[in-house]
Amino acid sequence: MTFAGIPIRPGTDPPDLRSCVDYIRSANRPTTADLLAAAQADGRVLIQPRCGVGDHGRMLDLLRDLRDGAAPDILSVTVDAHTRLLRFAEAERALREDPYRLNGYPLVTHGWRRGRELAESVDVPLEVRHGSPDPRDLFVTAIASGITSFEGGGIGYNLPYVKDVPLEVSLGAWAEVDRACGVLAEHGVIVERELFGTLTAVLMPPSLCLAVCVLEAVAAAAQGVRCISVAYPQGGNAVQDVAALASIRTLAARYLPDTVTVYPVLHQFMGAFPGDPALADALILYGGLVAKWGAATKVVVKTNQEAYGIPDAAANIRGIRTTRVALSHLLDGFGVDQAAVREEQEWIEREVADLVDPVLQSGDLTTAIAAAFRSGRLDVPFSASIHAHSAVMPRRDPTGAIRIARPGSLALSTETKARNERLLRDAGPRGDEGFVAAVKADIERFSAAVGH
Amino acid sequence: MNQFNRATVILGVAASDAHAVANILIAESLREAGFLVVNLGVCTPLPEFAEAYQANPTAVAVVVGSLNGHAYDDLRDLPALRARGLLGCPVVVGGNISVGSTKSDRDRARLEQLGVDHVLDDVAHLVPLLAGLAQPVFA
């Protein structure tokens, strides 16, 4: 038994494809794809919080509290770590014994009927956010629940999250999901697929985020996906962040067929967050401004409890409201140097081309991606997976922009390598502390206490 | 510099812990100090540390990072591995060694009872400790 080509896990018992399509099309609320298209046309930035708790009743309350308290445009169902790793027995046991132990909502275990209760509980669309190298069961349950927005990809949901899943395996599983999105599109249901360019979230050079997203997007488009969000994580230098967001549109036009609509999304700062709530609020506001300046279609918000763990609803509401202040006319009238943005954008796009062009030109895409990571021609810093070298080492330049200090075997050209080196020359190892201490200080740029 | 360039250190993060950033930075700082580092990465069960030791029997230490507070649970098999002679070198554990924000001598004592030789709560102490352990090699 399959669902849009995906084998059905025994016990999950989804309705057949046709009745799911009817359910989705009869729902009296917009889909994420609808909202993104409207926001793009109006030049608006949609706001979305992350949220997910184990207990079903509490999850319903959380969605309604956030909706009533802050009116976000899209809400999230963040899935627990057991479900992400297909440990359904553990998720079921935790749910039975103590749902508060779960760090997210176990959607597959709760099942699609409860999923529909979530989707029907609010008048805005939901997105499933997780971190699963094999998302097939989760995807089927999401679609059967009427949730048509699904985060992740075969690289971005592998390298940061698991130690030893070969890229061929995760890319294969995600190809099945993308193919199912193609089948659903033929039935008039557009599933929005958000690509997790944030990767390991620590000092991520923009070109590496975007190169991974371009490759995942090309793979998704080839399977029939029609609506893609490319998520880029705020790094902390506004010129660089705005340039990275702007380059998403250029890269989409260059590498993707026009059957696909692509939207830039900003994830507010994903690295080490300040514990001081005043500083955290400021960083959230800064993220909102960068989303506006970079013409992102959506911003995913942080909270001022980020440094301490999973936030409560009140902190989440505050994060959404702070972000809305940044997007309002209140803070119009200042921004970033456009000439500097254009120059930075050109270099980001050159680096992305250095990284992805050889992969796209070498036959089967899955094989080529896996081979590129095996050789280190593609690489990400601080990977949890043994299937990336993690030889690349980032540093901040004196302006706070993230540069590639040690390229490892990355397929960068002489020119792009030289520019990274040149911009970092003044940063230097600080004092006699050495390179590692300097990288650590760069990681802690926003979490370290502010002096007077 | 590089006075320890023939001293091997086996490094990894405990079985239930996926914190990669500190692990990669520590590997880098040990290499900077001149050690040969066999880095087993995140989520490494204790038997894999033992296998790495058998492949590198001259290693001066096995260094286990643990940031999620599960160090005791993740190291429970250490006495059994020691008893079977599978892990002959000193074992160093460092990071955040128990759940909760205040650490007690009890957390340290529990790990030492398992046979952990050195418990570090400051990563700055790691290189000096390993340098001391490496000295006999050159004596």
Side-chain angles (χ1 to χ4, degrees):
Chain A
M1 283 292 283
T2 64
F3 182 96
I6 297 175
I8 293 174
R9 174 175 293 272
T12 56
D13 144 54
D16 65 31
L17 182 66
R18 166 59 61 188
S19 76
C20 286
V21 166
D22 290 343
Y23 172 74
I24 291 164
R25 297 186 65 177
S26 68
N28 192 23
R29 55 182 180 275
T31 65
T32 302
D34 296 335
L35 289 185
L36 288 166
Q40 167 127 301
D42 299 344
R44 248 166 35 83
V45 185
L46 303 174
I47 303 181
Q48 178 179 359
R50 295 183 178 81
C51 60
V53 289
D55 182 67
H56 179 62
R58 238 184 106 221
M59 184 71 197
L60 283 169
D61 290 341
L62 180 57
L63 291 173
R64 290 191 194 111
D65 287 349
L66 294 177
R67 174 75 190 123
D68 295 346
D73 300 283
I74 299 166
L75 279 161
S76 301
V77 178
T78 302
V79 171
D80 69 290
H82 290 309
T83 302
R84 297 174 188 197
L85 298 174
L86 310 183
R87 292 152 54 133
F88 298 115
E90 284 88 341
E92 197 177 338
R93 189 171 57 232
L95 204 54
R96 204 170 48 237
E97 290 171 3
D98 179 15
Y100 296 90
R101 219 162 67 201
L102 292 165
N103 61 354
Y105 185 84
L107 179 63
V108 174
T109 308
H110 279 304
W112 62 270
R113 291 177 186 84
R114 286 184 170 177
R116 286 189 181 186
E117 285 179 28
L118 297 185
E120 289 167 12
S121 70
V122 285
D123 55 0
V124 297
L126 305 181
E127 177 179 32
V128 172
R129 314 185 70 91
H130 47 119
S132 185
D134 178 355
R136 292 173 296 172
D137 297 318
L138 199 48
F139 179 81
V140 170
T141 310
I143 296 301
S145 302
I147 301 172
T148 55
S149 178
F150 198 77
E151 188 185 36
I155 307 169
Y157 265 13
N158 179 337
L159 301 181
Y161 287 104
V162 284
K163 181 175 181 173
D164 188 13
V165 174
L167 281 159
E168 290 92 338
V169 171
S170 56
L171 285 163
W174 278 93
E176 283 188 42
V177 162
D178 289 337
R179 206 171 306 137
C181 293
V183 172
L184 284 155
E186 286 163 21
H187 286 79
V189 169
I190 301 299
V191 178
E192 183 253 355
R193 290 273 296 98
E194 182 176 330
L195 306 180
F196 187 67
T198 293
L199 299 172
T200 59
V202 174
L203 287 187
M204 202 51 69
S207 58
L208 300 185
C209 308
L210 298 177
V212 164
C213 287
V214 164
L215 294 172
E216 288 181 343
V218 168
Q223 301 295 344
V225 169
R226 304 272 294 277
C227 177
I228 292 174
S229 296
V230 171
Y232 164 79
Q234 179 187 9
N237 171 284
V239 167
Q240 184 176 46
D241 289 336
V242 168
L245 285 168
S247 69
I248 290 171
R249 294 183 197 276
T250 321
L251 293 168
R254 185 182 306 160
Y255 290 106
L256 295 171
D258 50 15
T259 50
V260 190
T261 316
V262 174
Y263 301 100
V265 167
L266 182 75
H267 287 182
Q268 285 178 347
F269 192 69
M270 295 285 280
F273 225 78
D276 175 356
L279 196 49
D281 285 337
L283 188 51
I284 289 166
L285 188 83
Y286 185 22
L289 288 169
V290 163
K292 179 165 72 174
W293 295 335
T297 314
K298 185 175 87 173
V299 56
V300 182
V301 304
K302 280 287 177 178
T303 78
N304 63 21
Q305 293 175 345
E306 176 64 28
Y308 303 105
I310 297 174
D312 59 29
N316 226 331
I317 287 167
R318 186 181 173 87
I320 296 166
R321 287 185 174 166
T322 304
T323 302
R324 188 166 289 125
V325 171
L327 301 179
S328 75
H329 65 87
L330 203 70
L331 293 174
D332 283 351
F334 74 106
V336 281
D337 176 348
Q338 290 304 316
V341 168
R342 272 193 300 278
E343 190 194 340
E344 183 69 27
Q345 187 183 341
E346 242 169 67
W347 283 101
I348 290 173
E349 289 168 14
R350 281 181 71 167
E351 288 186 8
V352 172
D354 287 349
L355 296 169
V356 305
D357 287 357
V359 179
L360 293 172
Q361 284 154 15
S362 50
D364 176 67
L365 187 54
T366 295
T367 310
I369 291 170
F373 276 102
R374 234 182 336 265
S375 67
R377 282 174 287 129
L378 280 175
D379 196 9
V380 299
F382 310 118
S383 170
S385 171
I386 58 171
H387 299 286
H389 287 201
S390 277
V392 54
M393 271 287 182
R395 282 287 319 270
R396 291 188 187 274
D397 72 15
T399 72
I402 299 167
R403 307 294 173 196
I404 295 166
R406 293 186 185 168
S409 312
L410 278 179
L412 291 176
S413 63
T414 315
E415 292 77 17
T416 51
K417 270 187 209 167
R419 177 173 181 263
N420 277 281
E421 267 170 42
R422 180 165 49 78
L423 292 170
L424 279 173
R425 206 162 295 145
D426 294 339
R430 287 153 212 182
D432 54 1
E433 286 174 322
F435 183 79
V436 172
V439 173
K440 190 161 168 283
D442 288 339
I443 291 171
E444 292 166 355
R445 181 181 178 87
F446 294 101
S447 59
V450 175
H452 294 288
Chain B
M1 208 62 185
N2 286 1
Q3 55 182 313
F4 312 116
N5 62 0
R6 283 180 296 142
T8 298
V9 175
I10 296 164
L11 178 70
V13 184
S16 73
D17 195 335
H19 284 91
V21 178
N23 168 257
I24 289 168
L25 289 177
I26 289 168
E28 198 56 38
S29 68
L30 294 180
R31 289 185 186 115
E32 225 171 45
F35 290 96
L36 280 176
V37 180
V38 177
N39 189 3
L40 305 174
V42 303
C43 299
T44 301
L46 214 47
E48 283 181 29
F49 284 101
E51 280 166 32
Y53 169 71
Q54 286 150 55
N56 300 275
T58 61
V60 294
V62 161
V63 178
V64 183
S66 173
L67 286 168
N68 67 355
H70 293 175
Y72 182 79
D73 282 338
D74 286 340
L75 287 156
R76 271 199 169 166
D77 294 341
L78 184 57
L81 289 169
R82 292 270 208 218
R84 290 165 58 205
L86 298 177
L87 228 176
C89 67
V91 172
V92 182
V93 173
N96 178 27
I97 55 172
S98 64
V99 175
S101 54
T102 52
K103 307 295 154 202
S104 67
D105 291 342
R106 208 175 58 89
D107 299 321
R108 177 182 294 268
R110 286 203 315 164
L111 288 172
E112 284 165 357
Q113 274 161 24
L114 287 177
V116 173
D117 300 276
H118 305 275
V119 179
L120 297 184
D121 51 16
D122 185 345
V123 70
H125 300 154
L126 184 58
V127 167
L129 171 68
L130 294 175
L133 294 175
Q135 283 312 317
V137 175
F138 304 100

